[in-house]
Amino acid sequence: MDNHDYKKHSFNIKKCFKLKDLNIIIKKLKNYSAPWQDKIHNLMLKNTTEQFRNLILHLINLTVRKNELAHNWKSSIITMIPKKVANSNDPKDYRPISLTSNIAKIAEKMIAFKLKDFLKNNNIIIKQQSGFRNNRQTKDNICFMTQKIKENFNRGKKACGIFYDIAVAFDKVWHKGLLFKLIKQKVPNYIICWLRNFLENRSFKVKVGLSTSVSYKITAGVPQGAAFSPILFSIFINDIPLRHKINKDYGLLFADDLISINVFKKYGNINNHINKYLKKLKNG
């Protein structure tokens, strides 16, 4: 991975975003999304002139061409929203909401569109992943799992399902490992360069009431609320060992939730079978 030249990449007109791309994204922006410290609100962006939009477009294309992002685009303000109990002293009772620049979010969505297009055209995301995908839901995994278990019960076999849930999975993504996987999947170099720049030297502050903490560095994880964070996580977990042997093993994913279904005839065989899978899963 160290031999990969992130800073040098070709930029041509095909990679240059058009005004129509920007207009589509601005049209879909939420009217009442909270602004960042720059006070640029989505409603302001929706009511800008074509001349101003061209300035925004030029800025975004410049970040791709020069592989440089404004420092402010990589900083966020974290506000804590109560989950159930208000005024609790336990941090676990609050959900962190990340506020970032709305212009930066537009750039993220434009890069995300290019990345999604590449993944779809090259069939990179495994079929067993139902999370973050169009026309796929949790019910797809439930129906598949139910069908396979019933089929094997009818054959006089038994089934054992193991469910996994990675705690705070998005926050644990290893940046260098993610970049390595992007390179391995031959994602266009200009996208990798942009994402690398976006991920490094990120920081955040926590705001409670009128008080704001000092700035802290972010050294791991995909940015909360970023348009391509679900996509990046799907790529990061895409090579998780999933067995799929008819009438024997099945594996399914929904975002960071994994289920492994093992089919067997004798109880004595299942322990060894599961232990081998768990070892393989641990070793990657």
Side-chain angles (χ1 to χ4, degrees):
M1 184 177 69
D2 294 334
N3 294 329
H4 188 82
D5 193 342
Y6 293 103
K7 296 184 179 180
K8 295 180 180 179
H9 63 276
S10 60
F11 184 87
N12 56 46
I13 194 66
K14 291 182 179 179
K15 298 167 187 174
C16 186
F17 294 108
K18 310 297 183 184
L19 184 59
K20 63 179 182 179
D21 302 322
L22 179 64
N23 288 336
I24 291 172
I25 290 175
I26 289 179
K27 185 178 180 180
K28 294 180 179 179
L29 292 177
K30 296 180 180 178
N31 290 340
Y32 303 105
S33 179
W36 186 68
Q37 288 180 322
D38 56 14
K39 305 301 181 182
I40 298 178
H41 200 284
N42 280 346
L43 281 174
M44 296 169 60
L45 295 171
K46 284 192 167 187
N47 289 283
T48 52
T49 63
E50 182 174 320
Q51 183 180 7
F52 188 78
R53 291 190 182 193
N54 275 315
L55 288 176
I56 297 175
L57 183 66
H58 175 71
L59 175 62
I60 294 173
N61 281 327
L62 201 61
T63 65
V64 181
R65 185 180 296 112
K66 298 294 185 180
N67 188 28
E68 295 179 5
L69 279 71
H71 176 72
N72 290 343
W73 283 19
K74 299 190 284 185
S75 62
S76 59
I77 302 294
I78 306 295
T79 58
M80 310 301 289
I81 307 298
K83 293 180 179 178
K84 294 181 179 180
V85 182
N87 301 321
S88 172
N89 293 323
D90 188 350
K92 294 181 180 179
D93 291 333
Y94 294 84
R95 180 178 291 105
I97 302 297
S98 179
L99 296 179
T100 56
S101 166
N102 284 326
I103 293 181
K105 289 180 180 178
I106 292 175
E108 295 165 22
K109 290 177 181 179
M110 297 182 88
I111 295 291
F113 176 81
K114 293 286 188 181
L115 181 56
K116 283 181 180 179
D117 193 50
F118 173 82
L119 296 175
K120 182 179 179 180
N121 291 338
N122 292 275
N123 295 317
I124 289 177
I125 302 300
I126 55 177
K127 63 181 181 180
Q128 292 95 332
Q129 173 66 273
S130 294
F132 316 125
R133 308 185 79 171
N134 293 333
N135 303 317
R136 297 284 293 273
Q137 302 177 28
T138 52
K139 64 178 67 174
D140 296 314
N141 286 6
I142 294 173
C143 289
F144 180 88
M145 178 179 65
T146 303
Q147 177 185 345
K148 293 304 176 183
I149 291 175
K150 285 185 175 181
E151 285 178 0
N152 284 283
F153 279 176
N154 292 335
R155 296 187 180 99
K157 297 182 179 180
K158 303 172 181 63
C160 176
I162 306 177
F163 296 79
Y164 310 81
D165 183 21
I166 307 172
V168 289
F170 274 44
D171 296 333
K172 294 180 178 178
V173 173
W174 177 36
H175 289 171
K176 288 187 176 180
L178 173 60
L179 292 169
F180 174 79
K181 292 183 179 184
L182 289 169
I183 296 169
K184 190 176 179 181
Q185 295 294 347
K186 299 181 180 180
V187 171
N189 203 31
Y190 77 96
I191 295 180
I192 297 177
C193 291
W194 199 95
L195 290 173
R196 178 179 185 261
N197 196 303
F198 184 76
L199 290 172
E200 64 184 9
N201 298 321
R202 296 192 66 83
S203 63
F204 73 96
K205 295 179 180 179
V206 178
K207 185 177 182 180
V208 179
L210 299 177
S211 301
T212 304
S213 73
V214 297
S215 181
Y216 294 92
K217 290 185 178 180
I218 301 174
T219 58
V222 289
Q224 185 196 62
F228 42 62
S229 288
I231 312 169
L232 294 179
F233 184 81
S234 294
I235 294 172
F236 189 72
I237 204 173
N238 197 54
D239 57 356
I240 192 169
L242 286 175
R243 299 188 179 188
H244 193 85
K245 298 180 181 178
I246 297 176
N247 300 331
K248 189 173 182 181
D249 300 292
Y250 303 96
L252 296 169
L253 276 166
F254 191 89
D256 58 331
D257 295 318
L258 165 67
I259 177 174
S260 172
I261 303 173
N262 302 277
V263 178
F264 59 100
K265 289 184 178 180
K266 299 179 180 179
Y267 284 108
N269 297 334
I270 193 62
N271 287 334
N272 291 332
H273 195 72
I274 290 176
N275 287 333
K276 286 181 180 179
Y277 178 75
L278 291 175
K279 185 176 181 180
K280 185 178 179 181
L281 186 65
K282 180 182 179 180
N283 295 333

